Amino acid sequence: MLDYAALAALAAVIREGSFERAARALHVTPSAISQRIRLLEERVGCALVIRDQPCRATQTGRRLCQHVDQVQLLEQDLQGTLPALAAQGPSRASVPVAVNADSLATWLAPAIAAFAAEYPVLLQVAVDDQDHTAEWLRSGAVLAAVSATARPASGCNSRPLGAMRYLAAASPAFVQRHFAHGVGAASLALAPSLVFNAKDELQSRWVRRLCHRHVELPRHALPSSHAFVTAGLAGMGWGLHPQALIQPHLDNGTLVELLPATPLDVPLHWHTARAASSLLDGLSGAILAAARTSLLQP
């Protein structure tokens, strides 16, 4: 049997980022946390924590953290059916999820906020590119993810959410300065573009579809959906923006499409670990309902 006090210590270290903060969260001493982790590492025969700033989990450590999260969900379900357990004091299960920034900035945040306000959970939201969020679930770092990948990882389920529509846009002055003679491979190779981070391939994908070949783009990196819009309005560069985020600017003319009628639709999927939990089912229901009204449906 696993030592669940030690597992709770491991999860706290990874969640809080240090042994000291984990000790404060669990109301024990840092030495007690360190001893529990050491004994657990001896039990499983490998390192579980990368002692860095902040502390990070090894691959095995992430798997054990995911197991702790699943156990917390099951215990939360039990409290709903066993009043004696609930009477011992309120508790909230931690639910780690990975999402893409554009979903969080548009349709997803209201859905998860309403869910967390109603249910006894503490959501731990990690942000990554939609092509990479599924890796968080596969590694055991989260219990659920919004991903552009359709195929579920082993031990997980996947359900389609719909497609998020992106439009290539920039300020009118930027378009006039860089694309006065048209939008093509030559002009795109010179005009500064905007990317979320090094993983962001949306701009390159749109250009490849337009030009039928790869074009090396000059890029500003801005890891924020709202900063993308601000940068576009200021004439810093062009980028692929969620239509829902920039529609007011398109309507008033402060942003314009580089080429009208050339949207890029990105299908999204909801991946969850196969944990029999009413809380995880409830979160899935809230997200699927929000997607039906906010994303493009087949």
Side-chain angles (χ1 to χ4, degrees):
M1 288 290 292
L2 291 170
D3 182 345
Y4 279 89
L7 286 173
L10 171 64
V13 168
I14 302 307
R15 182 177 62 250
E16 301 294 334
S18 75
F19 284 66
E20 291 74 17
R21 288 196 292 272
R24 288 197 294 270
L26 296 181
H27 307 291
V28 296
T29 64
S31 61
I33 295 289
S34 181
Q35 183 179 25
R36 292 176 188 181
I37 300 271
R38 179 176 56 81
L39 291 175
L40 187 59
E41 289 178 329
E42 290 177 358
R43 175 72 185 277
V44 300
C46 65
L48 300 175
V49 177
I50 300 172
R51 289 155 173 80
D52 205 346
Q53 295 295 330
C55 290
R56 296 177 288 115
T58 64
Q59 183 173 355
T60 303
R62 287 193 295 269
R63 289 291 182 190
L64 290 176
C65 287
Q66 186 183 58
H67 175 72
V68 172
D69 292 332
Q70 291 172 330
V71 169
Q72 285 183 338
L73 290 176
L74 293 173
E75 289 182 348
Q76 194 70 55
D77 287 345
L78 277 176
Q79 286 191 9
T81 58
L82 298 176
L85 290 178
Q88 296 177 11
S91 64
R92 292 182 178 272
S94 178
V95 183
V97 299
V99 305
N100 60 312
D102 291 333
S103 288
L104 190 62
T106 52
W107 64 274
L108 186 62
I112 61 176
F115 173 80
E118 183 177 353
Y119 291 88
V121 298
L122 294 173
L123 290 175
Q124 313 294 327
V125 180
V127 175
D128 202 348
D129 185 84
Q130 63 268 3
D131 292 322
H132 298 271
T133 47
E135 293 296 329
W136 290 66
L137 184 59
R138 189 173 292 109
S139 71
V142 299
L143 291 176
V146 174
S147 173
T149 304
R151 185 177 180 178
S154 177
C156 300
N157 296 317
S158 174
R159 282 172 280 186
L161 292 170
M164 176 170 280
R165 171 156 291 182
Y166 287 85
L167 303 176
S171 69
F174 183 92
V175 172
Q176 180 60 36
R177 183 184 315 121
H178 293 280
F179 301 114
H181 302 293
V183 180
S187 56
L188 287 164
L190 297 175
S193 65
L194 306 172
V195 297
F196 185 81
N197 57 25
K199 300 176 182 178
D200 183 3
E201 293 291 331
L202 286 182
Q203 285 66 221
S204 294
R205 194 183 308 172
W206 183 82
V207 169
R208 191 178 301 113
R209 191 177 67 178
L210 176 70
C211 302
H212 306 292
R213 66 180 179 87
H214 174 74
V215 177
E216 192 63 35
L217 303 173
R219 300 178 295 178
H220 295 294
L222 288 170
S224 163
S225 300
H226 289 96
F228 245 57
V229 179
T230 301
L233 291 168
M236 183 178 178
W238 72 272
L240 270 290
H241 301 268
Q243 182 176 3
L245 201 58
I246 65 166
Q247 191 61 55
H249 298 292
L250 295 174
D251 292 340
N252 65 26
T254 51
L255 288 177
V256 295
E257 289 189 71
L258 267 60
L259 284 174
T262 58
L264 180 65
D265 295 337
V266 178
L268 297 176
H269 304 266
W270 176 240
H271 295 245
T272 56
R274 290 178 190 157
S277 162
S278 61
L279 281 177
L280 197 54
D281 290 343
L283 177 60
S284 295
I287 287 177
L288 290 166
R292 281 194 295 270
T293 61
S294 303
L295 300 178
L296 299 173
Q297 299 302 310

